[in-house]
Amino acid sequence: MSDVVIFQAEDGTTQLEVQLEQDTVWLNQAQLVDLFQRDQSVLSRHIRNVFKEGELEEKSNMQKMHIANSDKPVVFYNLDVIISVGYRVKSQRGTQFRQWATRVLRNHQGGRQPHQSEKRLMVFSRPFALLTQAAKAQRKPLRKGFDPLGDFAALREIKVFGL
């Protein structure tokens, strides 16, 4: 079951009922038109290109929801899609929405599981932690200024067992 929260633009001209579900916010295309103040055909093209260019995966970033008084399901897009489209249309209101959504998600999550973007960060930081542990285990201290992304010579000296 999803919660509904209200976004209101700083200038007060736009107010949206935003679906909050699966640790992200969801908007349909009509809401995106209101948010970005662009024609629906422009937003449709940008959304299609976000998926076509491989920037985001369509399956995990959109969902169909049944809305009361609607004959067919309505397609909703998550915060990642909203942000991507916002960058493409260069929208200040999109920036306001992103900042608002971040605050709402932090408050909503409380002590729950980390957000998807936080999980991605943890996945990328883990290999560097393993390299550091391997270096300490071999008693080869990393020299001052070690850059795990750029210092390949030092990485070749570290023997990582079990990986």
Side-chain angles (χ1 to χ4, degrees):
M1 173 135 186
S2 65
D3 295 327
V4 175
V5 288
I6 305 297
F7 167 76
Q8 184 164 348
E10 288 178 5
D11 62 7
T13 59
T14 301
Q15 186 171 332
L16 300 172
E17 290 185 8
V18 180
Q19 299 290 322
L20 181 59
E21 185 177 301
Q22 299 174 358
D23 291 331
T24 190
V25 296
W26 299 86
L27 294 179
N28 62 37
Q29 255 192 23
Q31 291 173 309
L32 291 173
V33 167
D34 290 341
L35 176 64
F36 296 125
Q37 298 177 327
R38 301 291 194 279
D39 189 73
Q40 184 172 355
S41 64
V42 171
L43 295 178
S44 294
R45 185 185 67 223
H46 284 304
I47 291 168
R48 187 173 47 254
N49 287 338
V50 163
F51 297 133
K52 181 180 170 186
E53 294 168 5
E55 182 177 341
L56 295 171
E57 183 180 304
E58 188 171 1
K59 184 177 180 182
S60 61
N61 291 291
M62 63 178 278
Q63 67 177 344
K64 294 179 180 180
M65 295 184 193
H66 293 279
I67 306 299
N69 301 325
S70 178
D71 294 339
K72 56 185 177 181
V74 177
V75 176
F76 280 78
Y77 302 94
N78 73 6
L79 183 59
D80 290 338
V81 175
I82 298 165
I83 291 170
S84 294
V85 172
Y87 284 131
R88 289 169 183 252
V89 298
K90 297 176 178 63
S91 169
Q92 285 188 328
R93 183 162 296 152
T95 301
Q96 291 172 10
F97 181 83
R98 178 183 47 79
Q99 293 166 343
W100 171 85
T102 300
R103 284 191 306 273
V104 167
L105 289 172
R106 283 187 187 140
N107 292 337
H108 179 73
Q109 287 175 340
R112 292 183 7 205
Q113 293 293 322
H115 188 264
Q116 186 177 4
S117 59
E118 294 170 322
K119 289 178 186 175
R120 285 188 211 125
L121 179 60
M122 287 187 276
V123 167
F124 288 117
S125 63
R126 189 166 190 275
F128 300 116
L130 290 173
L131 288 171
T132 302
Q133 288 175 348
K136 286 178 183 177
Q138 291 189 7
R139 299 198 188 323
K140 290 185 179 180
L142 300 175
R143 69 181 187 283
K144 191 175 184 178
F146 176 75
D147 176 11
L149 288 176
D151 196 345
F152 292 105
L155 290 175
R156 276 186 263 143
E157 292 178 16
I158 299 172
K159 295 176 184 145
V160 181
F161 298 99
L163 294 179

